[in-house]
Every structure is written in structure tokens, then in C-alpha cells.
Amino acid sequence: MTTHVRVVGTGLIGTSLGIALCNNGFRVSLDDPSPTAVRLARDLGAGELASEDDAPDVVVVAAPPDVVSGVIVAALREWPHAVVTDVASVKESILREVLAAGVEASHYVGSHPMAGRERSGTAAARGDLFDGRAWVVVPHPDSTAEATDQVTRLATAVGSAVRVMPAHEHDEAVAAVSHVPQLAASIIAATLRELPESAVGLAGQGLRDVTRIAASDPRLWTQILAGNASAVRDVLHEVQGQVAAVVEALDGLVDAGGEGSLGTLSRVLEAGNLGHARIPGKHGAAPAAYELVSVVVPDEPGALARLLTNVGEAGINLEDLHIEHGLGQAVGIADIAVVPASVEPLHDALERLGWRVQD
Amino acid sequence: MTTHVRVVGTGLIGTSLGIALCNNGFRVSLDDPSPTAVRLARDLGAGELASEDDAPDVVVVAAPPDVVSGVIVAALREWPHAVVTDVASVKESILREVLAAGVEASHYVGSHPMAGRERSGTAAARGDLFDGRAWVVVPHPDSTAEATDQVTRLATAVGSAVRVMPAHEHDEAVAAVSHVPQLAASIIAATLRELPESAVGLAGQGLRDVTRIAASDPRLWTQILAGNASAVRDVLHEVQGQVAAVVEALDGLVDAGGEGSLGTLSRVLEAGNLGHARIPGKHGAAPAAYELVSVVVPDEPGALARLLTNVGEAGINLEDLHIEHGLGQAVGIADIAVVPASVEPLHDALERLGWRVQD
């Protein structure tokens, strides 16, 4: 018998989820304070408009972070037999507020689909937004196993890879792998505001990568950071300590020229090597030590495609790809990451086809 | 008549430069304290072995940052009529040491080819290392115009795009666009060392981008940072101030729940938006507001190539490309950056060809 899912909040995530669930045989009813948003969501195929006498099996709260706990509590009161979950990117503060409301919460299980886009809003919704993304399911001590299973089924149905962990563990994890890196990217990008044109003109791929997510939406991120303030602060304290150590080391070099300073700098850089090596590779597998093959690519439609066609024809699986744009010249450098065993075959195959390969 | 270039130091940069110069009709003589390195450089086609009675027109010092100034001074003494330059990534401290040596330095012009690789050493050399990269030429007040022109000719001959600026301006620029971002990437990556597997398992493309350069060589970077300590410290002070402001704001939220704290967070994130918008686009052009078209790509050899072939056939020029690896699933998301006018045509063309396009 068809599972009836009520989606409350038809922004990017709620509408995308509605579409994905409808595509996978669920019955979806849509609710949003904005009549315009909810009708647009319906027209996009996210489900039917909610009606008074609905009795949903699952309620997914996809409201903005700063109001989500109130909506969860209201849903638990209105549908005591439904499983209620939310999709906010912070979990412990929301759980605390829900439990503080004194409502029966054994049917509440938090969740966090790690999917999003630069654009937000109903119109940006896509049914495959959750394809191949992680979806963290966050039960609390009183959550029923049935509630956790129900949310897991939902996440799996829309193509996500489920991870189950408690709220504090989730919040500490995203503080380190998402929230503090966002702050770092924003703070580093902010230092570029007053630079002369000639200086920003020297920007290379390194700076572009470090600051790419600095383009994210400040309003959303302010709510996310505020909602995870405690865990973010803990990680940021560690960062603050390291920055202070480096500043002190640089002071030593500028004012004294002390040898100990070099030790501090290299320790920080080595610690970075070690931390970087822990980031999982493709598909969450153990980090593989890929090697780069760098190829000069003319800046014309199809050039990169021709290159990657040749890579594919050589039977070599490209693990990752970075494009370094030439400065003031009509060429770019494509850095192709492959497993070490593929470096020489790829190198030879591409050179035979006339590509300028750097290694 | 052929220009004779003496390359002193046959590591990655020196050897690559030798190969590039030989390919472009220069005569190159090679010198290095290591007989093994210099012979390997010769065998790679970087030039001939240096001999006693050489009289080079130009001397390029490609020694490690911490010894380069001494080698420059020796070269100015040995060949008073030759133009002498170096390729170190910091310039003011080196210039100061050269001028302090009391040698006639009007023929010295610093330079910094902004090219490099993850790998270092003679064996990693490539003749096209400088193709399409920026090369900063750094004259000092007493440099002759002829010396500046000679170095500019060299850089242009190997395919680089020349920028001319004074040493302090160069050092302040690279402190902001390269050295501090390197420190930020290393410090953020370092916070991952003690994380549980379940936490690093949630790493997404944002973290991968922010920390990519944290894999760089600590020994080289310790020398670079030490050589530019003063300029790096100035930028890092700004970073330190912003980190402190954010920590204070988070304290306010955790301990008080103060509204002012939200203002601080959103100001930092907005400043990041503004700074990010200043980074030049492709080929050093004004930053273009590209839009992303996200496509689901099966993880198999040639799949990405097939996609980009279709992009090329649609006559659309891909401006940039990021691959988001699905977590625990055999699909990835290719984010294709194109000019806004190309979004709809590309979207339609790819969907017609059966691609799952997210926008």
C-alpha cells in the first residue's frame, strides 16, 4: 500500500524531494505558507496540494533552519501516528528544541540530505537532486526503530546513500567537513576585496579552489552556522590556535629570524598533508593516491571533449579533473587524475594522438 | 645572433626552462652543484654542460629559495655584463640581500614564473611548463631597461604572459593570492586529522576544493613562507581578526543567543561573496558570472568524455568543470560552467541526448 508523505516547505529541498518521491511511487501532499510556492511545486510534479483531512504516514519538514523545530513539534501534535523528520543541515539544536516542547517525540527522526545547489527556491528543484549524495539519518534515544527505518526507506528511494549517526556526532562532523571550511573560504576570499587589480590578476587555480564556496548564500549560511554554533566554535578554536602559532612564527622570522619559527611553519604544513590524506576518494572509498597527467588544451569548443574521448578510448578511467586556465593565453591545462598504473599508458596514448602532455 | 642563457640550478623549474629555451632557439648552458642532476637535465634536452670560459648573455638562477640570493650575487660578480634573474616565488627579501652585498646590480631583474607541479626535481621537468602561465618580471629602481626587456623576451619565448611589478607589490600580491590561501588550506586540512571515519566520510566537493593544495610539499612551502614572512603576516593578521570576530559571535550565540552575533556572521559571509567576485575569470579576463549545468554521469570509462563531446557538438564552450563524486554510488555529478546565455541551449541539447540534467 502506497506511503503518503506530507512535505512541509516547498523550497529547493522540499520540492525536489516531492518530485523524487512521486517518481518513485510515493503519494506526496504539499504544504507551504506561500500559496504561490506550493502551487508551483505541484505544477513541477512534486505532489498534490495538502488537504485538511490528510493522514500522512511520514511528514518531512523542509522549512528554513530557524523555524524548523516549531514546525516539527506542530506536526508531531497534529499527526501522533506519523513518522516526522526534517532536512535541516544542523541537528542537535533542533532536537533539543523539539524535546523541550514536551511533545511525544518517539516518531521523530532527524535527517540531513547532503545535497544542494548554488540556486535556491522552488523553481530550482530537481527530482534527481539526491542521486548519489549522502543522507544522514539522525535518530535520538527515544526514536522507534520503525521511524528510523521509514526515513531510511525514503532516503534510499530517492537514490541517497544513508549514514546513521546521533545528532551531536552529525553536528561535529559537518562543523569540521562543511561549516568551518565554508568560513575559511569566506574569510580568505574577503581578504581579496581591497587588493589592486594587478594582484588579483595573479590568482591561480589554488586560490580559485580554496575560495569557490565563498560564493554561497550568506542568509542561509548565517542560519546554518548559528544553528551549529557550539560545534563550529570548537573546530574554529583549533583553527584560531594554528593561525596564532603561524603569526607568532612569522613574527619570529620578521623581527628575529629565529630558527624555531621554521619548525612551526613546517609542522603546520605537514599536519595539512596528514589531514588532507584522510579525505575519502571517489564514492567514499579509501583515499587513493591518484597521479596527475597534465595536458595542454586549446581554448575552443570540443577541445576538452576530444581529449577526454581519447582518454576513454584508451580504456582509462578518469578519477578527477581540474582545469587550470592559462592567463592571457588561449590555452588551458587539464590535470587528469588517474590511478598510478594508468599514468604511463595514458601519457603515451595521448602523445601518440598529438596532445602536449606534461606528464 | 643566438642568446646564450646560463641556467644555474637544474631542478623542476631550471630544467623545464632549459628545455623550453632550447626548443625556442636559445643556447643554454647548465650548472648545478649536483653532477647527477645537471647530466640528467642535459639528457632531457635542457642544454649543454656549462664550461669555464662560457660568457652567457643571461643567467637564470633557479636555486632553492634559501640560497638564491648568494648565487645571484656570485653570478653578478662573475659576469658583470650579463643580465641576471632568478625564478624564486618571493622577491623583496632576495632583492634586499642582493643589494646588501654591495655588488653592481643594475643588470639584475627578479622574476617569478607562476608555474609548478605537485612533483619536483629534474626528472619532473617539462618543456611546456610555462605555457599559458603568468610570469612576473620584477625590476628594481636601478635595473636597466635593457635587463628588463631581456628577461621579458625570455619569459615570452617560453609561452608565458608577462606582468611587470615592483618586488614589494609582487610579494604582497602572492601573500594574498597564494601564500595565505596555502596556509588556510593546510590549517583546515589539519583539523581533519583526529576526526572519526564516519565524519570524514561526509566530506563533499566543498571540503575537497578548500583543502586540495594542503597536499603541497612542506619543505618548499616553509622556505616560501619564511621568505615572504612580513607580507604573509600582514594578510594573516586580517584573517586572524576575522576568525576572532566569528569566534566571538559564536560565543555570543552559545552563551547568550545575542542577535548582534548573526550580523557578524552574515557580514563575514557577504565579505566573502565580494572578495570571491573579484577573482578574474578564464585567461585573466574580468570575472564572468558563469552558471552551472549539473549532469549525472555514470562512473565508467569514457562517460564524461561522451558528455563533453555532446557539449562540444552543441557548439557550447565549457568555461570550467567540477566533478562531484557520488557517495557510495556509481554515479558522479558533473557541474559544467557556461555563460548564462548557453544554459538553456545546453540543458535542452543534453536532455535530448538522454542525459539526466539537473539544470
Side-chain angles (χ1 to χ4, degrees), chain A residues 253 261-277, chain B residues 64-66 89 117-120 179 182-183 185-187 189-190 193 212-227:
Chain A
L253 286 162
S261 303
L262 295 181
T264 305
L265 294 179
S266 72
R267 267 192 300 281
V268 169
L269 293 159
E270 279 154 14
N273 283 175
L274 295 173
H276 177 268
Chain B
D66 54 351
S89 34
R117 309 184 54 201
E118 277 77 12
R119 295 170 52 195
S120 61
H179 301 174
Q182 173 64 56
L183 280 167
S186 296
I187 288 171
R193 277 173 309 166
R212 183 179 62 86
I213 55 175
S216 307
D217 174 17
R219 238 179 70 256
L220 173 64
W221 273 96
T222 299
Q223 291 184 31
I224 292 173
L225 294 168

Side-chain angles (χ1 to χ4, degrees), chain A residues 201 325-331, chain B residues 132-134 159-163 281-285:
Chain A
H325 297 313
L327 267 153
Q329 296 216 355
V331 299
Chain B
R133 308 299 175 107
S160 289
V162 169
R163 308 258 191 284
K282 204 167 171 182
H283 310 326

